[in-house]
């Protein structure tokens, strides 16, 4: 049975809220960082690092650095771009459509982090996209990123980027 993104995203959000009520309650409605939360700090630092490489992927070595944050079998669901089923396909799209064209900025205060028992974490938030050509930040979207922690390393296994819209 195929499940559409319009069904999958709310189901994923509901599952997170049910499975992780203590963590969700620790973060206020604005998604600000709870006091002394090492998992939040780790995932926030990973978010910064992966998107620093994304934002400079037209520079030598940065696209490959960005690639290193993703599992080879990453699934990337994009509401307007479709689905990619591998790191190779995702990177081809990034190189073609992103590198040298725009950068991603996390919306301050929007990041929420939820643990996944014996696996890793879910990052949820909002981000905007700013054009290099004119500096305009006219794109806005929401995201869910699933991070796996294995053998001391963190990698992204799933990404949902959805609700793309014009920024107010």
């Amino acid at each position: 049975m195929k499940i559409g993104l319009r069904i999958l995203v709310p189901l994923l959000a509901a599952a997170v809220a049910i499975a992780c009520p203590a963590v969700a309650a620790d973060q206020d409605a604005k998604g600000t960082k709870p006091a002394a939360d090492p998992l939040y700090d780790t995932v926030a630092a990973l978010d910064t690092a992966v998107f620093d490489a994304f934002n400079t992927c037209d520079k030598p070595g940065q696209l490959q650095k960005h690639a290193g944050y993703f599992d080879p079998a990453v699934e990337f669901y994009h509401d307007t771009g479709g689905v990619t089923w591998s790191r190779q396909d995702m990177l081809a799209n990034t190189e073609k459509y992103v590198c040298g064209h725009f950068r991603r900025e996390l919306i301050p205060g929007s990041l929420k982090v939820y643990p996944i028992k014996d696996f890793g974490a879910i990052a949820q938030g909002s981000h905007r996209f700013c054009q290099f050509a004119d500096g305009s930040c006219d794109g806005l979207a929401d995201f869910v990123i699933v991070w796996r922690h294995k053998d001391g390393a963190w990698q992204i296994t799933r990404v949902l980027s959805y609700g793309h819209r014009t920024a107010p």
Side-chain angles (χ1 to χ4, degrees):
M1 176 172 84
K2 291 186 179 181
I3 298 177
L5 285 180
R6 291 180 189 258
I7 296 171
L8 180 62
V9 172
L11 287 176
L12 182 58
V16 168
I18 291 167
C20 307
V23 174
D26 287 344
Q27 295 177 4
D28 67 20
K30 295 179 183 173
T32 56
K33 176 189 175 294
D37 183 347
L39 180 63
Y40 181 96
D41 293 341
T42 297
V43 172
L46 288 165
D47 184 87
T48 297
V50 72
F51 285 104
D52 281 350
F54 175 91
N55 290 341
T56 57
C57 62
D58 59 329
K59 308 283 189 269
Q62 291 301 300
L63 185 60
Q64 288 310 320
K65 182 177 180 181
H66 180 67
Y69 290 98
F70 294 87
D71 183 273
V74 66
E75 295 178 11
F76 192 105
Y77 301 87
H78 192 284
D79 61 349
T80 62
V83 179
T84 56
W85 302 101
S86 70
R87 177 173 59 196
Q88 181 180 352
D89 290 342
M90 185 206 65
L91 289 175
N93 285 339
T94 301
E95 185 172 30
K96 182 176 180 180
Y97 298 112
V98 174
C99 299
H101 301 288
F102 65 87
R103 71 181 187 281
R104 179 261 198 181
E105 295 179 356
L106 179 66
I107 301 296
S110 72
L111 183 65
K112 294 181 182 179
V113 175
Y114 303 89
I116 303 174
K117 185 180 182 317
D118 300 326
F119 186 82
I122 294 172
Q124 176 187 13
S126 298
H127 47 205
R128 68 178 150 245
F129 302 96
C130 303
Q131 302 296 320
F132 287 133
D134 63 9
S136 65
C137 298
D138 51 7
L140 187 63
D142 301 308
F143 67 89
V144 172
I145 298 174
V146 179
W147 288 91
R148 179 180 58 217
H149 186 238
K150 183 178 177 184
D151 300 328
W154 289 88
Q155 278 198 316
I156 296 169
T157 61
R158 304 288 181 275
V159 178
L160 289 87
S161 186
Y162 58 95
H164 286 82
R165 58 204 177 271
T166 302

